[in-house]
Amino acid sequence: MSEEEPQEQQDDDLQYFVRIGQTDLDGTKSVERSLSELNGVGRRTARIIADKAGVDRTATFGALDEDVIDEVVELVESYADEVPEWLTNRQKDFYTGETTHEIGNDLQLTRQHDINRMKMIDSYKGARHKRGQKVRGQRTKSTGRTEGTIGVNVEEIREEEAEEAGE
């Protein structure tokens, strides 16, 4: 029973949810895995953030001290200032010309704005988006068919034959 008591003390210090932006991250997972659940942050970005914060990337995220968690959150929000331009996900924005790193809902909103802009100016990619076709040059002759059934439905044919024979 003495083994369970320290476990309970660790559970008391554990934050089950860590909030970054508008997203709740799982505090029971490691720092790297928890950060990579955030949209716009992959495994490589999470590893870079953990290294810059001086945190072991395999440590449990919710078990860290408050000031360390705040430092990680601050590094996530100011990631574009900390790394080279080619490591960001939004280089040379169309409207501002700035390089930023979008995370969470901001990433989805900017992506949707870009798609809408392409549709409005009727670029090739915008026209493909409008029609619901593949945009990045993938093969469309034999894949990506969403309408109707391609194969033969043997059961329906047998049922029709049985009805005709029964009449």
Side-chain angles (χ1 to χ4, degrees):
M1 292 204 180
S2 62
E3 294 177 10
E4 292 179 11
E5 291 176 13
Q7 186 69 22
E8 290 176 10
Q9 290 175 353
Q10 289 177 353
D11 288 345
D12 292 341
D13 297 339
L14 185 68
Q15 270 188 329
Y16 289 98
F17 296 103
V18 177
R19 187 133 179 111
I20 296 181
Q22 299 169 351
T23 309
D24 288 331
L25 301 180
D26 191 358
T28 60
K29 295 182 179 179
S30 68
V31 174
E32 183 178 1
R33 182 162 297 202
S34 185
L35 284 175
S36 63
E37 290 177 357
L38 187 63
N39 283 344
V41 178
R43 289 187 348 212
R44 182 176 186 164
T45 305
R47 184 174 287 187
I48 290 170
I49 289 169
D51 288 343
K52 292 237 183 228
V55 178
D56 180 23
R57 61 187 172 91
T58 60
T60 305
F61 197 31
L64 298 174
D65 293 336
E66 285 291 326
D67 56 339
V68 176
I69 291 175
D70 292 340
E71 184 179 351
V72 170
V73 170
E74 192 174 304
L75 280 170
V76 168
E77 292 170 352
S78 66
Y79 178 75
D81 302 332
E82 302 288 328
V83 296
E85 187 172 307
W86 56 270
L87 266 175
T88 60
N89 63 4
R90 185 99 180 131
Q91 295 141 7
K92 297 177 185 170
D93 183 44
F94 180 76
Y95 297 108
T96 62
E98 296 177 356
T99 297
T100 59
H101 190 84
E102 304 291 332
I103 58 168
N105 293 338
D106 296 336
L107 179 63
Q108 293 170 345
L109 285 173
T110 54
R111 183 175 281 161
Q112 197 61 42
H113 286 304
D114 290 343
I115 291 171
N116 287 339
R117 182 174 50 85
M118 286 188 278
K119 286 179 182 178
M120 284 191 322
I121 64 174
D122 209 25
S123 68
Y124 178 76
K125 285 174 72 173
R128 303 288 288 187
H129 273 293
K130 276 184 193 176
R131 287 189 245 143
Q133 293 181 322
K134 296 190 176 194
V135 176
R136 296 186 177 184
Q138 297 97 323
R139 177 180 300 270
T140 57
K141 181 179 180 180
S142 59
T143 62
R145 299 179 181 183
T146 57
E147 303 262 341
T149 308
I150 297 173
V152 177
N153 193 344
V154 178
E155 292 176 6
E156 286 183 16
I157 294 173
R158 286 186 183 157
E159 288 175 4
E160 290 174 5
E161 289 176 356
E163 288 176 8
E164 290 174 6
E167 292 177 2

